[in-house]
Amino acid sequence: MTMTTALATRDPWSVVPSLGNLDAYIRSVQAIPMLEADEEQALARRLRDQQDLQAASKLVMSHLRLVVSISRQYMGYGLPQGDLIQEGNVGLMKAVKRFDPDQGVRLVSYAMHWIKAEIHEYILKNWRMVKVATTKAQRKLFFNLRSLKHQFKGEADDAHVGRAALSEADIHRVAAELDVRPEDVIEMETRMAGGDVALEAQADDDHDHAPVAPLAYLADEVHEPTRMLDAARRDWLSGQGIASALEGLDERSRHIVEERWLKVNDDGSGGATLHDLAAQYGVSAERIRQIEVAALKKMRKVLEAA
């Protein structure tokens, strides 16, 4: 294989390092030249008409710097930029796949929507363990409330602005600005102000001074599934299960088991002794014990098979 052929068949993604080395990745994508309008049109038509994957790769790679730029706008949510870029790249690939060169717009304008949509979805799924935004109004508030609070509070410290509660007037201003209900603003403000709480105590907590973890008082032991199954099993064994096992015994064995284990005297004491039953049947106490052992073994097999 000649060098020219090797370069032609080389994976175009191999010129970009992995996101594991974020600085090197950003430097590499910044060095990839942007396409001219006529080049972009030609590549988009090759992809649309011929399903040319090399054309798709060139379109994607020439816009990787756009994803990096957009990802910087979402650094305030505590998520790694590498993850944001990765999700944005997914949106970019979706945009390239759906791009129509005959619409009269550049790919950069079309791709911005798809890149932001993927990053938005990733942030909403991962910013908190419990989703904070599910409806359209909540999503709009989630991605705009922080910036609007900055506008209303002035150039204050970001952490302070994030904690500062909105006044009633500010709530109505945000609602009017985003065309949502004031109640939606209050609810989102409350959700974003709250933090995640671990259900279980952390391993490095001081056991003498650590706060009680929610799992200690949220657990419902009465309706815990395993306990309920065990309780149902015990109830069956003590009722229908024992009755079924007894039915498989001969009359003498069943009588001995009932007298020994199931009968309770009026004074609360246990059932008959081996000697009592030996006298009743005219055999030795050892024989009664042997019959009892064999009967219990047979019953155990029946109960284990049920």
Side-chain angles (χ1 to χ4, degrees):
M1 180 183 293
T2 65
M3 181 176 294
T4 303
T5 305
L7 290 173
T9 58
R10 185 182 184 187
D11 180 3
W13 286 99
S14 64
V15 301
V16 178
S18 70
L19 280 166
N21 188 341
L22 186 59
D23 291 338
Y25 174 88
I26 293 175
R27 286 196 300 269
S28 296
V29 301
Q30 295 289 0
I32 299 174
M34 294 291 290
L35 297 172
E36 298 293 337
D38 56 344
E39 293 178 305
E40 180 178 291
Q41 290 281 312
L43 290 170
R45 287 190 171 87
R46 278 169 50 190
L47 174 59
R48 183 192 63 186
D49 301 335
Q50 305 172 28
Q51 302 300 306
D52 189 332
L53 295 183
Q54 287 189 348
S57 295
K58 290 181 179 179
L59 288 169
V60 169
M61 292 187 66
S62 64
H63 289 79
L64 290 178
R65 65 172 68 194
L66 174 64
V67 178
V68 173
S69 177
I70 293 175
S71 71
R72 293 195 180 104
Q73 303 172 21
Y74 298 94
M75 294 294 291
Y77 295 98
L79 297 172
Q81 187 180 11
D83 291 350
L84 298 174
I85 292 174
Q86 183 169 285
E87 295 302 316
N89 286 344
V90 173
L92 173 60
M93 288 186 281
K94 289 182 178 180
V96 168
K97 181 178 180 181
R98 293 166 173 80
F99 180 59
D100 185 355
D102 296 331
Q103 290 295 321
V105 298
R106 293 295 301 270
L107 177 57
V108 63
S109 301
Y110 181 74
M112 286 181 66
H113 163 77
W114 288 93
I115 295 169
K116 288 184 177 181
E118 288 296 321
I119 293 178
H120 284 189
E121 192 67 26
Y122 173 76
I123 291 174
L124 290 173
K125 287 181 178 178
N126 295 276
W127 189 63
R128 288 277 173 81
M129 187 180 298
V130 179
K131 289 185 177 181
V132 296
T134 54
T135 67
K136 184 177 180 180
Q138 289 172 351
R139 287 171 180 251
K140 187 187 296 184
L141 280 164
F142 181 83
F143 288 106
N144 291 279
L145 187 57
R146 182 187 294 269
S147 61
L148 287 175
K149 287 176 70 174
H150 270 293
Q151 294 178 23
F152 298 156
K153 301 293 183 182
E155 296 298 328
D157 175 70
D158 181 71
H160 174 72
V161 171
R163 293 192 300 267
L166 288 171
S167 66
E168 186 174 351
D170 289 339
I171 290 172
H172 284 85
R173 288 175 65 187
V174 171
E177 184 82 17
L178 299 178
D179 191 25
V180 297
R181 300 178 306 164
E183 293 83 356
D184 294 330
V185 178
I186 296 172
E187 182 179 357
M188 182 53 63
E189 172 77 356
T190 303
R191 291 188 182 190
M192 294 183 70
D196 292 329
V197 178
L199 283 176
E200 297 179 324
Q202 302 304 301
D204 56 352
D205 283 345
D206 184 343
H207 294 290
D208 295 331
H209 302 93
V212 179
L215 196 63
Y217 55 83
L218 290 179
D220 182 1
E221 296 186 358
V222 176
H223 298 95
E224 197 273 324
T226 304
R227 290 176 177 269
M228 293 178 68
L229 290 173
D230 289 342
R233 176 71 175 174
R234 286 195 301 271
D235 292 342
W236 182 85
L237 288 174
S238 62
Q240 183 61 39
I242 294 295
S244 299
L246 286 171
E247 290 177 357
L249 302 177
D250 61 81
E251 184 177 351
R252 183 175 64 171
S253 297
R254 181 167 62 251
H255 180 258
I256 290 174
V257 171
E258 289 176 342
E259 290 293 316
R260 287 276 293 151
W261 298 102
L262 301 179
K263 183 178 179 180
V264 179
N265 297 324
D266 294 337
D267 58 1
S269 61
T273 65
L274 293 175
H275 292 284
D276 292 336
L277 292 170
Q280 182 178 346
Y281 283 102
V283 296
S284 67
E286 175 61 20
R287 179 55 184 157
I288 296 296
R289 190 192 66 79
Q290 293 173 355
I291 295 173
E292 177 189 38
V293 170
L296 292 176
K297 183 177 180 180
K298 187 174 182 180
M299 290 178 65
R300 189 175 294 111
K301 288 183 178 180
V302 173
L303 292 175
E304 289 175 350

